Amino acid sequence: MTETAASAAETSRPRPADRRLRLIMVLGALTALAPLSIDMYLPALPTLTEDLSTGAMQTQLTLTACIVGLAVGQAVAGPLSDAFGRRRPLLIGLAAYAVASLLCAAAPTVETLIALRLVQGAAGAAGIVIARAIVQDLYDGVAAAKFFALLMLVNGLAPILAPVFGGQLLRLMPWPGVFAVLAGIGVALFLGSLLGLKETLPPEARETGGLRATATTFRALAADRSFVGYALASGLAFAALFTYISGSPFVLQDIYDLSPQEFSAVFALNSVGIVAAGQVSGMLAGRVALRRLLAAGLALVAAGGAGLLAAVLAGGLPWVLAALFLVACGEGLIGPNATALALSGRPPRVAGSASALLGVTQFALGGAAAPLAGLAGPDTAVPMAASIAALGLLAAAVTAAMTRPPAAA
């Protein structure tokens, strides 16, 4: 090969930095499937209720079905990726997500839509759980925490943009168009994963024991005190955040009289806080122990929850908003570090199963906690504030009781 040809070949070959950026973009987009699937169609709920001639409760079940699907799908897709590699289950899940989204757009009744949303969530869960497993295949410990923080740059934008994007779509098309766009996103992620992701779990590193081995892996993880501690810490903090997400539209608009536009601005600011805290975590990882970063996040959530309860009882919207911002920033520190600590040191053949248990814990606790915000009706913010405060304190207590710093060499 001539020197010119060699130079041209070197120029055409992707540089490591380019490959890493592509990996961040694809995996970040995969982990954003959950907020996209949940949040994008929220502005369409009133219109959807009218068009399908149903009630608000039945329409709300379409959201619940998606959350249940996201939880159950992770429990299935994670172990499958340990047995068959990451690419095949991921591509099948994304293809099923695109088809289910299209079928949602054509659903003739709310019962059909509920069933299809369950399928859509379960299929989309493959992208979320396998993305975490791929990170664990490639990185560990501090490096994994840094990478998870980078993913928040991509997936952290989803909860900010999804409701706004969905609202703008409704200006151009009826509610089925939102699901058609989600189908298009599924196709784009399928192509991006097909062309941009290589297999990260070679055949010799895969789990070959079938269902019995998967059950054994789940039992071992459930018996691992440290793993359970980090999973519960992450799940309880996620539940506090989910309580805020489910309760704040009613609290801030109905009780504190914020307009929909003002509420959207507050929601966006708190989402930016999550992303910014995640990036601070990524910059400090390696210089500050991951457990200390996690402890700082837990302290922020606990302090924010306590401050929120005090502000709600004493009155004063500015203090309520400041407390909610603290809760959001705490989640930005907790997410990447709890995940990295829980998965650290796991062999690749169980990374999918471990990632699945983390995801199931988050969505199960988040789904269970969400209704707590409305326990006493729409005229008081005390249940939301008390729930967030209790969940934040419980997350900190569980971490202190069930996890221990690594033994010194």
Side-chain angles (χ1 to χ4, degrees):
M1 183 182 292
T2 65
E3 184 177 345
T4 302
S7 176
E10 185 66 29
T11 301
S12 63
R13 186 180 302 135
R15 294 175 298 175
D18 294 334
R19 291 195 296 267
R20 180 177 170 85
L21 177 60
R22 184 171 59 193
L23 185 66
I24 291 170
M25 295 299 293
V26 173
L27 296 184
L30 289 173
T31 57
L33 269 180
L36 285 175
S37 301
I38 293 171
D39 297 343
M40 188 179 290
Y41 90 125
L42 291 180
L45 288 180
T47 306
L48 187 153
T49 302
E50 183 178 347
D51 287 353
L52 295 181
S53 302
T54 187
M57 180 180 296
Q58 288 80 3
T59 305
Q60 195 70 23
L61 285 176
T62 65
L63 178 60
T64 302
C66 184
I67 295 172
V68 171
L70 286 166
V72 175
Q74 291 187 68
V76 175
L80 286 177
S81 76
D82 289 339
F84 298 104
R86 310 303 184 202
R87 273 173 58 89
R88 197 187 319 174
L90 174 61
L91 294 175
I92 292 172
L94 291 173
Y97 178 88
V99 172
S101 299
L102 273 180
L103 293 175
C104 284
T109 65
V110 70
E111 291 80 12
T112 304
L113 183 59
I114 290 170
L116 289 171
R117 285 283 283 169
L118 180 67
V119 176
Q120 184 195 37
I128 302 167
V129 68
I130 293 175
R132 283 196 301 261
I134 288 174
V135 174
Q136 187 59 26
D137 291 340
L138 301 174
Y139 304 98
D140 193 26
V142 170
K146 286 178 175 288
F147 199 93
F148 282 124
L150 285 174
L151 293 186
M152 296 189 74
L153 278 173
V154 181
N155 65 37
L157 293 175
I160 303 173
L161 299 178
V164 177
F165 186 41
Q168 295 306 311
L169 285 176
L170 291 174
R171 292 175 177 266
L172 306 173
M173 59 187 72
W175 65 265
V178 176
F179 289 104
V181 170
L182 286 173
I185 291 172
V187 171
L189 286 176
F190 177 89
L191 294 175
S193 300
L194 179 67
L195 302 175
L197 286 181
K198 296 182 178 180
E199 180 58 65
T200 58
L201 187 65
E204 63 272 13
R206 295 174 188 172
E207 180 58 74
T208 58
L211 289 176
R212 179 176 297 180
T214 298
T216 301
T217 298
F218 279 143
R219 283 197 300 270
L221 290 169
D224 186 327
R225 184 183 179 90
S226 180
F227 175 86
V228 171
Y230 290 125
L232 286 176
S234 174
L236 290 166
F238 183 81
L241 184 69
F242 213 80
T243 303
Y244 148 67
I245 291 172
S246 64
S248 61
F250 304 98
V251 167
L252 295 181
Q253 293 181 85
D254 295 345
I255 297 177
Y256 291 99
D257 297 323
L258 264 63
S259 68
Q261 293 74 27
E262 290 169 336
F263 169 75
S264 297
V266 170
F267 195 86
L269 178 63
N270 288 339
S271 298
V272 169
I274 295 175
V275 175
Q279 301 322 296
V280 170
S281 174
M283 290 186 291
L284 293 178
R287 289 181 284 177
V288 179
L290 300 187
R291 279 180 55 86
R292 289 192 175 185
L293 292 173
L294 173 61
L298 292 168
L300 282 177
V301 172
L308 178 63
L309 183 57
V312 164
L313 292 173
L317 178 61
W319 295 108
V320 169
L321 298 181
L324 288 174
F325 186 74
L326 280 183
V327 172
C329 290
E331 179 61 30
L333 289 173
I334 293 168
N337 293 297
T339 302
L341 286 164
L343 298 180
S344 181
R346 310 286 167 192
R349 64 181 179 83
V350 302
S353 297
S355 175
L357 278 184
L358 280 176
V360 169
T361 302
Q362 285 185 338
F363 280 95
L365 290 175
L372 298 177
L375 277 180
D379 299 324
T380 175
V382 172
M384 183 188 79
S387 298
I388 292 174
L391 288 165
L393 290 171
L394 186 58
V398 165
T399 304
M402 297 190 68
T403 65
R404 296 288 183 271

